[in-house]
Amino acid sequence: MKHRLNLKKAALLLLLFVAAYCVGTGIGILFSSNPSKETQETSAQASENWGLSFPKEGERPIGNAEISELSTLNAAYCQDTKEKVIYLTFDCGYENGNSGQILDALKKHKAPATFFIVGTFLRDNPEIVKRMITEGHTVGNHTWHHPDMSAISTEDSFHEELESVETLFEKTTGKKMSPYYRPPQGKFSTRNLEMAKNLGYYTFFWSLAYVDWYENDQPSKEEAFEKLLGRIHPGAIVLLHNTSSTNAQILDELLTKWEQMGYHIAPLSNLVETQF
């Protein structure tokens, strides 16, 4: 009798497990194969962090979004080209003594770069920003406070973060700021990109970067070259940080090595003219 009860109990548990599995599978199919409009809209507005995967070194990596998809929103992470062209960009959050050496190396190689600056960098280092302009570089907008811009819900608030930098830039340099924007920390959403486009901005992510922003834990020269030489590819938008002492030390040699590989540096305006 006890044996029969155990068999019945086991059979009942098995039936319950199968039923639960079928229900769960049905729900999964319902939401994956036929999502409601509400589900689609929520997904489209969700915040993401820009990310890359590198299936093969020396070739364009795969980003969170396709080049064509980003292009409709006036955004890019690289150029779709076979030409050995590099778009060199720097994010400038603050100054710790490396920008001068970086500018020296760029000047030596006649390499145009784009510096995405936050408002406090501009406020505290006007002469460095003026030098960037004088030496033919582009200055882009990295917001005033470096917040998670994808969390900002209104276009007015979004614009305020950018406009405050624009206003001080024009007051400092006497020139209009280029309408180039880089989302702080690479955080974005579809709505975020739409806001930037509506304000006349082009948004730039990157197709090559490495961990160079920890001031007290800088990568070695060998580590830097491993990433920056091994993963360079035609049409790359390279992201470096001006705070990196490693970048300041290696940039002259890095530019030489890229040149020896057949690459040349072009301004982001070239990409804007050809891709949008």
Side-chain angles (χ1 to χ4, degrees), residues 3-4 46 66 74 87 122 137 145 173 214-215 224 249 270 274-275:
H3 179 65
R4 288 179 182 176
E66 296 289 339
N74 282 0
Y87 299 98
L122 173 59
H137 303 296
H145 296 102
T173 67
Y214 293 116
E215 186 175 356
Q249 292 162 12
N270 285 23
T274 57
Q275 195 150 311

Side-chain angles (χ1 to χ4, degrees), residues 11 13 25 28 37 48 52 78 90-91 131 155 183 186 194 200 203-204 224-226 228 230 233 267:
L13 288 172
T25 303
K37 182 179 180 182
E48 293 188 63
L52 299 164
C78 64
F90 293 85
D91 283 2
R131 180 182 172 186
E155 196 163 291
E194 289 171 347
T203 301
F204 292 99
F225 281 156
E226 179 184 1
L228 298 174
H233 63 90

Side-chain angles (χ1 to χ4, degrees), residues 32 44 50 62-63 66 72 84 89 92 117 124 131 137 144 177 209 235 247 255 259 264:
S32 61
W50 180 250
I62 298 170
E66 296 289 339
T72 62
K84 285 193 168 184
T89 70
C92 304
I117 61 172
D124 299 339
R131 180 182 172 186
H137 303 296
W144 187 275
M177 192 171 209
N247 289 340
L255 291 169
E259 290 163 0
H264 68 277

Side-chain angles (χ1 to χ4, degrees), residues 18-35:
V18 171
Y21 175 81
C22 290
V23 171
T25 303
I27 291 173
I29 293 171
L30 175 65
F31 280 96
S32 61
S33 63
N34 187 29

Side-chain angles (χ1 to χ4, degrees), residues 228-249:
L228 298 174
L229 297 178
R231 291 183 173 179
I232 196 63
H233 63 90
I237 297 178
V238 178
L239 163 61
L240 302 176
H241 286 83
N242 74 309
T243 54
S244 168
S245 58
T246 297
N247 289 340
Q249 292 162 12

